[in-house]
Amino acid sequence: MEEKIGKITHYFGKIGVAVIELTDGSLKAGDKIKVLTHDGEFEQEVSSMQVDHQEVATAKKGESVGLKVDNPVKEGNEVFKVA
């Protein structure tokens, strides 16, 4: 089962970090996410994330979180939590 939780708003290619705006759900370390890219999709586990440059364990709807991603992403890519 998948639940849409947000979208990519920025991607820092040199360090492989994406900023996800949580529009529809929450996210916590250990969750598995799926990112729909323009040329496919990939899944990964959230190992750590930051809000305003502070390490956090959970983030809720309305927040923007930064996390390291395994593959390049683009602004507007949708992010889902995989159950």
Side-chain angles (χ1 to χ4, degrees):
M1 198 173 92
E2 298 172 1
E3 166 198 6
K4 183 179 176 194
I5 57 168
K7 66 178 193 277
I8 305 289
T9 58
H10 200 81
Y11 177 61
F12 300 94
K14 285 186 176 173
I15 55 174
V17 169
V19 177
I20 301 172
E21 180 186 350
L22 296 175
T23 55
D24 298 292
S26 62
L27 190 63
K28 65 183 187 299
D31 282 348
K32 188 173 229 176
I33 59 169
K34 177 161 96 176
V35 181
L36 297 184
T37 63
H38 296 297
D39 54 357
E41 61 185 47
F42 68 92
E43 291 185 8
Q44 73 172 66
E45 186 176 307
V46 176
S47 54
S48 67
M49 55 187 178
Q50 294 186 342
V51 174
D52 294 327
H53 305 288
Q54 300 295 315
E55 192 76 23
V56 294
T58 61
K60 58 189 182 303
K61 181 177 170 178
E63 293 184 309
S64 288
V65 300
L67 59 94
K68 202 148 184 61
V69 288
D70 296 341
N71 297 49
V73 294
K74 288 189 165 69
E75 290 179 19
N77 288 163
E78 293 185 325
V79 182
F80 296 82
K81 184 159 49 173
V82 181

